[in-house]
Amino acid sequence: MTRLSPGQSVVETLRAEGISYVFGIVGGTFLEVLDALYDAEDIEFVSTRHEQGAAFMADGFARASGQPAVCLVTNGPGATNLVSGVYAAYTGHSPVIAISGAPSRDVVYRDAFQEADHVSLFRPVTKQALTVNASDRIPELFRHAFRTAMTGKRGPVFIDIPRDLLGGAPIEHPDAQPPSYRVHQRLPADPELVARAAALLASAERPVIIAGGGVNQSGASETVVQLAELLSAPMITSYGRNDAVPNAHPLYVGPLGRAGAPEAGQVCARADVILAAGTRLSNFTSFYDNRYITADAKIIQIEIDERELGRNYPVAVGIQADASAALSSILDALRQQPAQPDRGAWAAEAADLRARRRARLDDESTWTGSPVKPQRVYGELRKALPEDAIMVLDAGACPAFGYDRLDFQRPGTLITPLDFGGLGFAFPEALGAKLGRPDAPVVAIHGDGGFLFNVQELETAVREGIAAVTIVMNNNLWGSEAAYQQALYPGREIGARVTNPRFDKLAELFGARGYYVDRAEDVGDVVIEAIECGQPAVIEIPVDPDELPRPARLVESSR
């Protein structure tokens, strides 16, 4: 037991958790924490240019590294500016600890300077939101926050600290390490449910495996592949989880859902048994209807969160468990089953759909014309990007084309907004991801609108030397909104057209590397050069403003 100031106690708890970066903007309500960080050579305070950027960077770090990440801001507008980034972490099941200073307790409920009900604000978008109510509880409550963020289905936790508590007398700080207060274990599957799932899969004529985020989090990619090979079952991935299984595998058809591969939807719609592994079958994966998952299909769902089992579709077998543990048990049980039925025709049908998708994408890679179409850009990226590159997609029209058009061979190489769908996500997320995995190339893809949401973090990237690459597909358009207006209200478009600076020149003004590419055949070489330059880099590619994805609402109504 050591006596420390409250600010030092905060920092010592972060050190015990292995935190190497704290993202945020300096503020008067947590000066004691900043002063303790001054002497912490193993923890760097990354000063961002907007609190939203801090939260996104923490989220990107956590998603790329698999470790908890921290953002720290002042009260009032500092905290409110965090909300979008924390919401993204909540949607992505990302262990972010968001910390905010708060007014002194003696002025609360008086509409004091920058006073806001932080806990109520963050409660809907976190696993837990809490206020430190006594300075000597700082170690306990911070450890509780990390335990909550890292166990079960991971997610963000918000901590609010009144400024008078940080300025109080020294407190007792227990010298505890994470294994003593949070224990990681794989939740095993119920043997009876495993047996039922194995029997159902063994008798299936047209089984399909949907691999979701739980496959990545539990490290179950190889087990999914082994199951697919044993069952001759095509693999598809849930929305934004394309990296859950190696896309080069002959049984992988494509990503399911909104902006996914039509061929993946076709193979899913033909399935008689669906093994939904580590997925809640959410909105943009399934649309909550029967276009991909038919009413006759028998679903085996594996989810670590019991509340998600059968939530969106009735299940034949629902298994609350770690995806890796459950899938390994099912694989062992299947290997003890009698010989599998002949699924040669089913495998051939899936192989044909896979081939059709590849032919479609290959054809797009031959498209010519100026300005370049986004699909052609992705064709060049597929040829140029190394397998270990982490791709970060923003929301919006141009990034949406990437869901069906990028290939992933390794887990943990795709970061997307998922059902958060927030613009401005990708650039700061990529900066956090690069700090979390410094040896991997990190490439963000934006439209022009989304990039400008957090463009100020270029200064952070340059100052901190974060060598992430950002591709801006510029169509001078709010593309998703223009697509809706053109489809639903022809000739009545409003507010969708914008103008932009030259993004390569803007990058250079910040001190980053800037590139401008208006010929598709140059995209690959420029991307490789940008990755290898060792500096923050922005690549502007002007793209065809008339090439827009089909609006989601029309996709839904056409079914």
Side-chain angles (χ1 to χ4, degrees):
M1 193 82 74
T2 307
R3 288 190 67 78
L4 300 173
S5 73
Q8 290 170 330
S9 181
V10 170
V11 172
E12 283 304 314
T13 306
L14 302 185
R15 176 176 285 116
E17 286 284 351
I19 297 301
S20 50
Y21 297 98
V22 174
F23 304 93
I25 295 179
V26 297
T29 54
F30 56 90
L31 293 174
E32 294 79 5
V33 177
L34 290 172
D35 187 65
L37 282 171
Y38 183 87
D39 296 319
E41 296 182 358
D42 54 340
I43 305 175
E44 179 182 351
F45 184 80
V46 178
S47 183
T48 64
R49 302 308 300 265
H50 193 286
E51 290 89 356
Q52 183 180 112
F56 279 139
M57 287 182 211
D59 182 36
F61 183 98
R63 294 202 206 189
S65 69
Q67 301 302 311
V70 173
C71 52
L72 173 63
V73 300
T74 196
N75 58 297
T80 61
N81 283 342
L82 282 182
V83 172
S84 288
V86 173
Y87 177 22
Y90 184 67
T91 305
H93 314 301
S94 182
V96 169
I97 308 298
I99 309 166
S100 170
S104 297
R105 290 169 297 169
D106 60 352
V107 299
V108 172
Y109 307 124
R110 293 180 174 180
D111 292 331
F113 178 64
Q114 295 185 335
E115 180 183 352
D117 186 354
H118 298 157
V119 170
S120 295
L121 183 68
F122 282 93
R123 187 175 288 121
V125 292
T126 57
K127 288 186 72 176
Q128 187 170 15
L130 55 90
T131 295
V132 176
N133 60 352
S135 58
D136 60 3
R137 297 193 68 193
I138 286 174
E140 168 206 347
L141 292 176
F142 268 74
R143 288 164 184 158
H144 174 68
F146 279 98
R147 180 170 56 248
T148 300
M150 290 294 289
T151 54
K153 180 169 279 189
R154 296 178 176 182
V157 174
F158 173 78
I159 307 174
D160 182 76
I161 312 178
R163 67 186 303 169
D164 58 307
L165 295 183
L166 287 173
I171 62 172
E172 297 290 339
H173 182 90
D175 299 322
Q177 296 299 310
S180 70
Y181 56 84
R182 59 176 176 87
V183 179
H184 175 70
Q185 55 184 321
R186 295 187 183 279
L187 184 64
D190 184 312
E192 180 181 342
L193 295 175
V194 167
R196 286 171 52 191
L200 190 56
L201 286 166
S203 63
E205 295 180 1
R206 298 181 305 281
V208 163
I209 300 175
I210 304 176
V215 170
N216 267 348
Q217 183 174 324
S218 66
S221 180
E222 180 56 34
T223 308
V224 171
V225 169
Q226 293 176 26
L227 271 167
E229 292 173 346
L230 181 62
L231 295 166
S232 298
M235 297 179 290
I236 56 180
T237 44
S238 64
Y239 176 71
R241 303 298 192 179
N242 308 39
D243 58 339
V245 295
N247 294 185
H249 195 282
L251 286 170
Y252 180 71
V253 176
L256 187 65
R258 167 69 181 143
E263 297 83 2
Q266 291 171 27
V267 79
C268 192
R270 289 272 294 135
D272 60 350
V273 175
I274 295 173
L275 175 57
T279 173
R280 60 191 182 92
L281 300 173
S282 62
N283 186 190
F284 269 12
T285 293
S286 67
F287 288 104
Y288 303 141
D289 60 23
N290 297 123
R291 72 187 67 185
Y292 305 136
I293 300 173
T294 66
D296 295 332
K298 295 180 174 63
I299 300 172
I300 302 164
Q301 186 180 10
I302 300 169
E303 247 290 343
I304 201 165
D305 185 350
E306 186 177 18
R307 295 171 301 176
E308 300 294 350
L309 293 171
R311 179 181 180 185
N312 297 320
Y313 291 89
V315 295
V317 183
I319 302 176
Q320 182 192 11
D322 171 84
S324 179
L327 291 167
S328 295
S329 296
I330 292 172
L331 182 61
D332 290 342
L334 276 168
R335 285 170 173 161
Q336 300 172 27
Q337 294 281 340
Q340 300 289 318
D342 182 3
R343 300 192 182 100
W346 176 231
E349 185 176 337
D352 179 63
L353 286 169
R354 172 183 168 82
R356 288 189 208 175
R357 176 176 178 241
R358 300 314 306 187
R360 173 172 56 81
L361 299 186
D362 289 345
D363 177 65
E364 292 175 356
S365 297
T366 67
W367 290 358
T368 59
S370 181
V372 179
K373 292 189 181 297
Q375 297 93 322
R376 175 69 192 277
V377 174
Y378 286 107
E380 298 303 314
L381 291 177
R382 285 197 302 277
K383 294 184 285 187
L385 290 169
E387 282 192 4
D388 63 339
I390 298 172
M391 302 301 300
V392 188
L393 298 181
D394 200 41
C398 290
F401 285 110
Y403 285 89
D404 182 29
R405 292 172 175 83
L406 290 171
D407 290 330
F408 299 90
Q409 310 309 331
R410 302 185 187 183
T413 51
L414 175 62
I415 297 175
T416 78
L418 302 168
D419 287 340
F420 163 65
L423 283 168
F425 165 94
F427 176 47
E429 288 273 337
L431 300 183
K434 184 63 178 175
L435 291 175
R437 297 255 297 279
D439 295 334
V442 178
V443 180
I445 298 181
H446 273 281
D448 52 290
F451 180 62
L452 283 176
F453 269 45
N454 280 302
V455 69
Q456 73 281 348
E457 301 305 341
L458 266 171
E459 190 277 330
T460 307
V462 171
R463 172 171 29 90
E464 296 290 336
I466 307 172
V469 176
T470 302
I471 297 172
V472 183
M473 296 194 201
N474 182 11
N475 56 10
N476 293 297
L477 192 68
W478 295 111
S480 295
E481 291 68 30
Y484 269 116
Q485 292 187 31
Q486 291 173 17
L488 298 174
Y489 306 100
R492 296 177 61 81
E493 182 185 290
I494 181 172
R497 304 283 161 172
V498 295
T499 59
N500 290 295
R502 276 278 296 262
F503 291 110
D504 59 321
K505 302 300 183 185
L506 182 62
E508 291 170 356
L509 286 172
F510 275 96
R513 292 288 291 271
Y515 301 88
Y516 186 85
V517 184
D518 57 4
R519 298 195 322 154
E521 54 267 34
D522 295 333
V523 167
D525 289 341
V526 171
V527 169
I528 292 171
E529 180 181 341
I531 288 173
E532 294 177 348
C533 78
Q535 297 176 245
V538 176
I539 304 169
E540 177 178 353
I541 306 175
V543 295
D544 187 349
D546 295 323
E547 191 67 29
L548 299 172
R550 185 170 174 79
R553 192 187 309 174
L554 296 189
V555 171
E556 293 183 59
S557 64
S558 66
R559 300 286 172 162

